[in-house]
Amino acid sequence: MKTTLKIAGMHCNGCSGNLERMLNKRDGVLSAKVSLEAAAAEVEYDEAKVDLDGLREVVENCGFDVVG
Ligand SMILES: [Cu+2]
């Protein structure tokens, strides 16, 4: 599965880099790419291991919000 999440709350490359690292660490995430400019995370994941709620949880644990 591949999805693009719109992220609110990222202010700098530290924010986006941290979120990208945390998403990539999540079990079931095959690859994650976070763009500060687009305020979005492109995530490829194994839906048998993680779902959208699981991805949202990672985003929220990093202090950001999924807005779409
Ligand atoms: Cu920042």
Side-chain angles (χ1 to χ4, degrees):
M1 279 294 267
K2 211 169 184 182
T3 190
T4 301
L5 306 171
K6 295 295 273 175
I7 311 291
M10 296 192 295
H11 304 295
C12 66
N13 285 321
C15 294
S16 54
N18 187 42
L19 178 57
E20 185 170 286
R21 191 167 57 248
M22 294 309 282
L23 282 169
N24 276 302
K25 264 196 201 167
R26 180 64 160 83
D27 195 35
V29 171
L30 306 174
S31 78
K33 203 165 176 290
V34 178
S35 166
L36 176 67
E37 292 73 23
E42 213 174 275
V43 186
E44 201 178 343
Y45 63 100
D46 178 350
E47 66 267 41
K49 290 186 179 170
V50 65
D51 59 9
L52 281 174
D53 279 341
L55 297 178
R56 186 176 298 121
E57 195 179 281
V58 174
V59 173
E60 287 172 357
N61 284 343
C62 283
F64 312 121
D65 285 310
V66 176
V67 291

